[in-house]
Amino acid sequence: MNNDEPTVAAEDLAQGQWFWHEPAPGLRSWPLQVATAEILEDAVRIITTDEVRELVSYARDRRVRLAVAS
C-alpha cells in the first residue's frame, strides 16, 4: 500500500465512495464503488456497483485506500 494515498477504516466507507479493493497484500487491486455498506459486529459487508465483484467484506478496522472515480 502506498502510504501517500488517503485511507479510511472500512467501516467509514460511504455510499458512492470509490476505493481500491486489494484482496490480499501484494495482489493486484482495482477500484470499486460502494453501493451500500452493512456494518456487522466485526466486519463490513460492502455491496459494490461492479457486476463481477459485487460483494466484498473487510474487518471493520481494515484500512482501505480511497480511489478516484473511474
Side-chain angles (χ1 to χ4, degrees):
M1 181 183 310
N2 182 342
N3 292 332
D4 296 337
E5 294 178 306
T7 64
V8 297
E11 67 184 352
D12 293 332
L13 285 170
Q15 183 177 10
Q17 197 163 27
W18 287 87
F19 66 98
W20 286 100
H21 173 59
E22 184 177 19
L27 293 181
R28 179 180 163 272
S29 60
W30 53 88
L32 295 175
Q33 185 179 30
V34 177
T36 63
E38 177 185 8
I39 298 177
L40 307 173
E41 185 175 330
D42 60 351
V44 180
R45 278 177 41 118
I46 301 166
I47 305 296
T48 74
T49 58
D50 190 286
E51 293 178 7
V52 175
R53 296 170 190 93
E54 183 178 15
L55 172 67
V56 295
S57 183
Y58 297 132
R60 289 178 64 170
D61 61 351
R62 178 176 169 167
R63 301 303 296 178
V64 179
R65 289 185 299 147
L66 298 180
V68 178
S70 60

